[in-house]
Coordinates of all heavy atoms in Angstrom, one line a residue:
Chain X
I127 N 108.3 104.9 101.0 CA 108.1 105.3 102.4 C 106.6 105.4 102.8 O 105.8 105.1 101.9 CB 108.8 106.9 102.6 CG1 108.1 107.8 101.5 CG2 110.2 106.8 102.4 CD1 108.7 109.3 101.7
Y128 N 106.3 105.7 104.0 CA 104.9 105.7 104.5 C 104.2 104.3 104.0 O 103.1 104.4 103.4 CB 104.2 106.9 103.9 CG 104.6 108.1 104.6 CD1 105.5 109.0 104.0 CD2 104.0 108.5 105.8 CE1 105.9 110.2 104.6 CE2 104.5 109.8 106.5 CZ 105.4 110.5 105.8 OH 105.8 111.7 106.4
A129 N 104.7 103.2 104.4 CA 104.1 101.9 104.1 C 103.8 101.7 102.6 O 102.8 101.1 102.2 CB 102.7 101.8 104.9
G130 N 104.7 102.3 101.8 CA 104.5 102.2 100.3 C 103.5 103.0 99.6 O 103.2 102.9 98.6
N131 N 102.9 104.0 100.5 CA 101.9 104.9 99.9 C 102.5 106.0 99.1 O 101.9 106.7 98.3 CB 101.1 105.6 101.0 CG 100.0 104.5 101.6 OD1 99.3 104.0 100.8 ND2 99.9 104.4 102.9
V132 N 103.8 106.1 99.3 CA 104.6 107.1 98.5 C 105.9 106.5 98.1 O 106.6 105.7 98.9 CB 104.9 108.3 99.5 CG1 105.8 109.4 98.8 CG2 103.6 108.9 100.1
I133 N 106.3 106.8 96.9 CA 107.6 106.4 96.4 C 108.5 107.6 96.3 O 108.2 108.5 95.7 CB 107.6 105.7 95.0 CG1 106.4 104.6 95.0 CG2 108.9 105.2 94.5 CD1 106.7 103.4 95.9
A134 N 109.6 107.6 97.0 CA 110.6 108.7 97.0 C 111.7 108.5 96.1 O 112.3 107.3 96.1 CB 111.1 109.0 98.4
T135 N 112.2 109.4 95.3 CA 113.5 109.3 94.5 C 114.5 110.0 95.3 O 114.3 111.3 95.5 CB 113.3 109.8 93.1 OG1 112.1 109.2 92.5 CG2 114.5 109.7 92.3
V136 N 115.5 109.3 95.7 CA 116.5 109.9 96.6 C 117.9 109.9 96.0 O 118.3 108.9 95.4 CB 116.5 109.0 97.9 CG1 117.4 109.7 98.9 CG2 115.1 108.8 98.4
Q137 N 118.6 111.0 96.1 CA 119.9 111.1 95.5 C 120.9 111.1 96.8 O 120.7 112.0 97.6 CB 120.1 112.3 94.7 CG 121.4 112.4 94.0 CD 121.4 113.6 93.1 OE1 120.8 114.6 93.3 NE2 122.0 113.4 91.8
S138 N 122.0 110.4 96.7 CA 123.0 110.4 97.8 C 124.1 111.3 97.4 O 124.7 111.1 96.2 CB 123.4 109.0 98.0 OG 124.6 109.0 98.9
S139 N 124.7 112.0 98.3 CA 125.9 112.8 98.0 C 127.1 112.3 98.8 O 128.2 112.8 98.7 CB 125.7 114.3 98.5 OG 125.3 114.4 99.8
D140 N 126.9 111.1 99.5 CA 128.0 110.6 100.2 C 128.9 109.9 99.1 O 128.6 109.4 98.1 CB 127.6 109.4 101.1 CG 127.0 110.1 102.5 OD1 127.6 110.9 103.0 OD2 125.9 109.7 102.8
A141 N 130.3 109.8 99.6 CA 131.2 109.2 98.7 C 131.0 107.8 98.4 O 131.2 107.1 97.3 CB 132.7 109.5 99.2
I142 N 130.6 107.1 99.5 CA 130.3 105.7 99.3 C 128.8 105.5 99.6 O 128.2 106.1 100.5 CB 131.1 104.8 100.4 CG1 132.5 105.1 100.3 CG2 130.6 103.3 100.3 CD1 133.4 104.4 101.5
K143 N 128.1 104.8 98.7 CA 126.7 104.6 98.8 C 126.5 103.2 99.5 O 127.0 102.3 99.1 CB 126.0 104.5 97.4 CG 126.2 105.5 96.4 CD 126.5 106.9 96.7 CE 126.7 107.8 95.6 NZ 127.6 108.9 95.9
V144 N 125.8 103.4 100.7 CA 125.5 102.1 101.5 C 124.0 101.9 101.3 O 123.1 102.7 101.7 CB 125.9 102.3 102.9 CG1 125.6 101.2 103.7 CG2 127.4 102.7 103.0
I145 N 123.7 100.6 100.8 CA 122.3 100.5 100.4 C 121.7 99.1 100.7 O 122.4 98.1 100.5 CB 122.2 100.6 98.7 CG1 122.5 102.1 98.4 CG2 120.9 100.2 98.2 CD1 122.9 102.3 96.9

Side-chain angles (χ1 to χ4, degrees):
Chain X
I127 55 176
Y128 290 96
N131 282 312
V132 178
I133 308 296
T135 304
V136 188
Q137 183 175 40
S138 166
S139 58
D140 282 312
I142 305 175
K143 309 331 179 210
V144 179
I145 293 166

